[in-house]
Amino acid sequence: MVTLADVAARAGVSISAVSKVLSGDPSLRVTEPTRERIKAAARELNYRPNFAGRALKSARTQVLGIVVPDLTNALFTDLMDGVEDAAREAGYVVLLGRSDDPRPDAEVYQRLLGEGRVDGLIVQVVDGVAPDGLGALLENNPPVVLINSVAPGQVGSVLLDDVAGARVATEHLLDLGHRRLALVNGLPTSLTAERRRQGFREALADAGVPRRGLLETRLGYRPENGRAALEEILAAPRRPTGVVVANVNAAIGLLAAAREHGVRVPEDLSVVTVHDSWTAENTWPPLTAVSMRFYAMGRAAVDTLVARLDSGTVRDVVITDPPPQLTVRESTAPPSA
Amino acid sequence: MVTLADVAARAGVSISAVSKVLSGDPSLRVTEPTRERIKAAARELNYRPNFAGRALKSARTQVLGIVVPDLTNALFTDLMDGVEDAAREAGYVVLLGRSDDPRPDAEVYQRLLGEGRVDGLIVQVVDGVAPDGLGALLENNPPVVLINSVAPGQVGSVLLDDVAGARVATEHLLDLGHRRLALVNGLPTSLTAERRRQGFREALADAGVPRRGLLETRLGYRPENGRAALEEILAAPRRPTGVVVANVNAAIGLLAAAREHGVRVPEDLSVVTVHDSWTAENTWPPLTAVSMRFYAMGRAAVDTLVARLDSGTVRDVVITDPPPQLTVRESTAPPSA
DNA sequence: CTGAAAGCGCTAACAT
DNA sequence: ATGTTAGCGCTTTCAG
C-alpha cells in the first residue's frame, strides 16, 4: 500500500502538503511547481487515499447503506439503479444489506450504523410491518430514510405516488366500461397497499360507481399471492369483469392462475397492474401496466439522506414527477356483453 | 459514540484490558470479576467497536465486494442470496457495486480495492468480455474471485456446471423424439455460452444426431435477444421442432415472440431453458427448465474468496453438487407428426 | 494478572 | 509558502 508518506518522500515535501494538494484544500498555499511535483508523484506511485485512515479521522465513511427485505421484489432492480446512480454522483458508494427484521437491535442495523460502517441508511421495511412498529428503530433519530413507509417527524421518507398510480389503473378499466371491479392488493399492514386502495376508491367515487360489493384481497405482492387472489375472485358471488393488481409480480401470478383455470384474459377478465417492468411486456397476454418511478424513488432516497447528513434537514417526499403513466397492452379490453 | 476508553473508565480498568476481553483475546489473563465488570460496562453503555479504528489498525475491513454488470439478470437474486448468507457466516458484510467496465482502472475497482474499502472482490464480468480481456485487471494478483469466467492460475473462479445443464436440457428434447434442434445461446464472447454449447453438442453426439444444419444463435441472454432469436429460427430453411435456450430471460422473450408470431408452444415448437426461476413457472405455457445453482455459486464464491484471504489459496471450482435438475412443465412435448 | 504506549493513515490546527 | 504535530479508536507488544 502506498501512503501519503511515500508520496511526500518522492516529491520531497511534507505529508501535510501532499494531503492538502491532493484533497484540494481551499487554504492551499503552495507554489505551482510544488503542486505539480506532488501530483506527479502521486500518479507515478498510483496513490490511493486509504479509506480507514480517512474515515477514522473525519468520522465520515462516504458509504450509504440500503436495507431491503427481499431482492426478488421487482421494484428492487430499478430502485437500486437509482440509488447507485445518485450515490455515485454525491460521492458515496452503496452497501447493500438484507433484513426482514424490523427490530432496532437487528444485526444489520448494529453492523451498519452501530459500527460506523455507513453514514446513513435507506430502509425498506418488510411489507408486513406497520409503520408504527418502527418506533423503536427510530427513537435515537438516526440518519435513516424510509422508503414506502413513513414515521412522521422522525426521519425522512420517500413514497411513490401510489394513490395516483392506482387511480390511473382504475380509471382505465372504468373508461373501458367495466363496473364490477376488484382490487388485488398488498398485506393489510402495508402502507403502499393502503395508498393504492385509496386511489382505487377515489377513481370509483369520481365515476359514481358504488363501492359496495366490490372485492378487495389483501394477500400480498408476491406471485403466489396473485394466484391465491384469483381463487378468491372466482369464488366471488358476482364475479368482477376487471381487476386492478397492486403489484406486477402478483399480476404475473394471477395471470398464470387464470390460464390454469380457463379464465380468458382479457375476454373474461381484464387485468391491469400497478408497476410496470420488463416482465410485464413478456407475459401472455402482455400486461397493461401503470409505470411507477422506482428509479426516481431510489434517487430521491439518496438525495434526502444526503441532505439529512449535510444539513440535518428531514424531508418527506412523494415522487409525483414524472406522474404514473399507463401503458396499454393486451390484458385489458371492454367487458364482453 | 462510545469508545473503548468510555468502557474502560466505567469498569475502572485500562483500555487494553477492555479490548482484550471484548475481542476474546486467547492470551487473556484477567480475573473473572474483572471480566464481568468489563462486559457489564460494555453492555450498559451499548458499546460497539468502531469500524474505522479497527480497520485502520488491522488492515482488514471484513467487507467483501461484489461487482456485477446488470442487476436485471435473473441470476442476480439467487446469487446475491448465496453471497450474503455465506458472507454473514464468515463474519463479513457485503458491498455491492455495479460496473460494466472491465478495465482495471475502472472507478469501481479503484474505490473498492484501491482505497481498501473491501478485503476482496467477487466479480461477474460483463458478458461480452472475453476472459483474456481481463488480463490487466488481474496482473497484480489482487484478492479477486471471478464468477462465470476464468483467468487460469491468476485468481480463483467459480463456474456452474453449464455443460451438464445444457446437456440435460438437450437430452430432454431428444428423449421426446426431437431431432431438429436449435440452441439459443449467449454472446460469442461469453464463456458460459461456450460451455453450454459444449453440453448441447455432447448430448447430440451421444444420441448419434448429426450436428450439421442445426441452428445456433449467439445473440445474448436478455429478453430482446430471445425475441430476435425466434426471428432467426422462423427464417431457418428447416425449422427446428425444439429449442434449447441458454437463459431464462431470453426464453421468456422468445416465448412472447412466439405468441406474437402465432407459433404454438409446445405444439409447433418445444422450448426448454437452462436456468430455472420463479418467472419460468408463471409464463404461458410454464417453461420446462433446468435449475442452475446460483445460490450455491454465490456461497462458493465467498468461500473461495475467504480461503484466498486466509491462506492465499487460489481455487477454481465448478458447482456440480447438487447437479442441474430438470423440471418438466408445459413448454415441451413430442414433436407433432 | 494488568496497564502504558506505540502506531495504523489521515486531516487540520498550529508553527515556522 | 511549507512543515510539525496531535489525535481519531483500535490492537498489540512490552513493562510492571
Side-chain angles (χ1 to χ4, degrees):
Chain A
M1 163 185 277
V2 25
T3 72
L4 276 184
D6 299 328
V7 178
R10 176 171 250 256
V13 295
S14 76
I15 291 180
S16 64
V18 178
S19 172
K20 279 180 193 142
V21 168
L22 293 185
S23 55
D25 188 319
S27 71
L28 39 76
R29 300 138 65 359
V30 189
T31 57
E32 202 50 40
T34 318
R35 179 199 313 283
E36 282 314 317
R37 232 169 346 114
I38 291 174
K39 284 187 170 173
R43 215 177 312 112
E44 290 157 19
L45 294 174
N46 194 25
Y47 169 77
R48 286 266 134 193
N50 178 267
F51 165 65
R54 189 172 268 187
L56 182 56
K57 179 67 193 176
S58 61
R60 278 295 204 103
T61 60
Q62 297 300 115
V63 177
L64 296 177
I66 174 167
V67 178
V68 295
D70 177 17
L71 300 183
T72 313
N73 198 314
L75 72 82
F76 178 72
T77 300
D78 284 345
L79 174 73
M80 199 65 198
D81 284 350
V83 168
E84 286 240 319
D85 287 350
R88 190 172 337 101
E89 288 166 23
Y92 288 85
V93 300
V94 177
L95 204 157
L96 173 71
R98 193 175 35 127
S99 173
D100 37 22
D101 188 344
R103 291 171 308 159
D105 57 343
E107 169 78 9
V108 205
Y109 302 112
Q110 296 294 345
R111 281 212 97 159
L112 299 187
L113 271 181
E115 297 181 10
R117 290 165 180 273
V118 300
D119 293 339
L121 224 43
I122 297 169
V123 178
Q124 154 85 48
V125 288
V126 56
D127 211 44
V129 174
D132 26 322
L134 296 173
L137 164 59
L138 306 173
E139 54 192 15
N140 289 105
N141 230 43
V144 168
V145 166
L146 300 176
I147 52 182
N148 287 326
S149 189
V150 290
Q154 302 257 33
V155 296
S157 70
V158 179
L159 299 176
L160 293 177
D161 199 348
D162 300 291
V163 180
R167 178 190 262 272
V168 167
T170 310
E171 282 168 353
H172 171 59
L173 292 180
L174 292 169
D175 288 349
L176 287 171
H178 293 272
R179 286 301 174 269
R180 289 208 308 281
L181 301 184
L183 175 63
V184 171
N185 210 348
L187 293 169
T189 46
S190 159
L191 176 67
T192 56
E194 210 51 53
R195 292 162 55 81
R196 289 175 189 188
R197 155 192 272 171
Q198 187 188 337
F200 179 72
R201 293 188 169 178
E202 284 180 8
L204 292 173
D206 287 0
V209 175
R211 223 174 58 202
R212 30 167 313 180
L214 296 192
L215 184 63
E216 179 186 9
T217 67
R218 294 298 289 262
L219 300 172
Y221 287 151
R222 299 169 143 277
E224 60 267 29
N225 303 324
R227 287 178 168 269
L230 185 87
E231 310 279 348
E232 283 201 27
I233 286 170
L234 295 185
R238 293 175 67 235
R239 188 187 292 186
T241 61
V243 49
V244 175
V245 185
N247 177 282
V248 64
N249 287 8
I252 289 170
L254 181 141
L255 220 50
R259 275 286 172 181
E260 289 163 17
H261 284 84
V263 175
R264 294 169 305 159
V265 176
E267 294 83 352
D268 301 332
L269 186 70
S270 279
V271 178
V272 56
T273 181
V274 178
H275 184 193
D276 201 2
S277 87
W278 71 265
T279 50
E281 28 182 323
N282 288 290
T283 54
W284 187 260
L287 273 166
T288 294
V290 176
S291 61
M292 298 299 284
R293 312 300 178 166
F294 287 102
Y295 178 85
M297 180 162 84
R299 294 198 68 106
V302 170
D303 294 344
T304 304
L305 187 50
V306 169
R308 167 76 187 278
L309 292 170
D310 289 346
S311 63
T313 326
V314 174
R315 287 194 309 216
D316 288 348
V317 349
V318 176
I319 311 289
T320 55
D321 181 47
Q325 193 179 338
L326 180 74
T327 300
V328 179
R329 299 202 181 90
E330 298 170 43
S331 65
T332 49
S336 38
Chain B
M1 164 185 273
V2 25
T3 72
L4 276 184
D6 299 327
V7 179
R10 176 171 250 256
V13 295
S14 75
I15 290 180
S16 61
V18 178
S19 173
K20 277 177 194 147
V21 167
L22 293 185
S23 55
D25 188 321
S27 71
L28 39 76
R29 310 173 13 24
V30 189
T31 56
E32 201 51 39
T34 317
R35 179 197 312 283
E36 282 314 319
R37 234 170 343 117
I38 291 174
K39 284 187 170 174
R43 214 177 313 112
E44 290 158 18
L45 294 173
N46 193 26
Y47 169 77
R48 285 268 134 191
N50 177 267
F51 166 64
R54 186 172 270 186
L56 181 56
K57 180 66 194 178
S58 60
R60 277 296 204 102
T61 60
Q62 297 301 115
V63 177
L64 260 27
I66 175 167
V67 178
V68 295
D70 177 17
L71 301 185
T72 313
N73 199 312
L75 71 81
F76 178 71
T77 300
D78 284 345
L79 174 73
M80 198 66 198
D81 284 350
V83 168
E84 286 239 318
D85 286 350
R88 189 172 338 99
E89 288 166 24
Y92 288 84
V93 300
V94 178
L95 204 157
L96 172 72
R98 192 174 36 125
S99 172
D100 37 22
D101 189 344
R103 290 171 309 159
D105 56 345
E107 169 79 10
V108 207
Y109 301 112
Q110 295 295 344
R111 282 213 93 160
L112 298 187
L113 270 182
E115 298 181 9
R117 289 166 181 274
V118 300
D119 293 338
L121 222 44
I122 296 169
V123 177
Q124 154 85 47
V125 288
V126 56
D127 211 44
V129 175
D132 24 323
L134 296 173
L137 164 59
L138 306 173
E139 55 192 14
N140 289 106
N141 230 43
V144 167
V145 167
L146 300 175
I147 52 181
N148 288 326
S149 188
V150 290
Q154 302 256 32
V155 296
S157 70
V158 179
L159 299 176
L160 292 176
D161 199 349
D162 300 292
V163 180
R167 180 190 260 272
V168 168
T170 310
E171 283 167 354
H172 171 60
L173 292 180
L174 292 168
D175 288 349
L176 286 171
H178 294 271
R179 286 300 174 269
R180 289 207 309 282
L181 301 184
L183 175 62
V184 171
N185 210 348
L187 292 169
T189 46
S190 158
L191 176 67
T192 55
E194 211 51 53
R195 291 162 55 80
R196 289 174 189 188
R197 155 191 272 171
Q198 188 188 336
F200 179 71
R201 292 188 169 178
E202 284 179 10
L204 293 173
D206 286 359
V209 175
R211 220 175 59 203
R212 34 167 311 184
L214 295 194
L215 185 64
E216 179 187 9
T217 66
R218 293 299 288 262
L219 301 173
Y221 288 151
R222 298 168 145 277
E224 59 267 29
N225 304 323
R227 288 179 168 268
L230 185 88
E231 310 278 349
E232 283 199 27
I233 286 170
L234 294 185
R238 293 175 66 236
R239 188 188 293 187
T241 61
V243 50
V244 176
V245 185
N247 177 282
V248 64
N249 287 9
I252 288 170
L254 183 141
L255 219 53
R259 274 286 173 182
E260 289 162 17
H261 284 85
V263 176
R264 293 168 306 159
V265 176
E267 294 85 352
D268 302 333
L269 186 69
S270 279
V271 178
V272 56
T273 181
V274 178
H275 183 194
D276 201 2
S277 87
W278 71 265
T279 50
E281 27 181 326
N282 288 291
T283 55
W284 187 261
L287 274 165
T288 294
V290 176
S291 61
M292 299 298 284
R293 311 302 176 164
F294 287 102
Y295 178 86
M297 181 163 83
R299 294 199 68 106
V302 169
D303 293 344
T304 304
L305 187 50
V306 169
R308 168 76 188 279
L309 292 170
D310 288 346
S311 64
T313 326
V314 174
R315 286 193 310 215
D316 287 348
V317 349
V318 176
I319 311 288
T320 54
D321 180 46
Q325 193 180 338
L326 180 73
T327 300
V328 179
R329 298 201 181 90
E330 298 170 43
S331 66
T332 50
S336 39

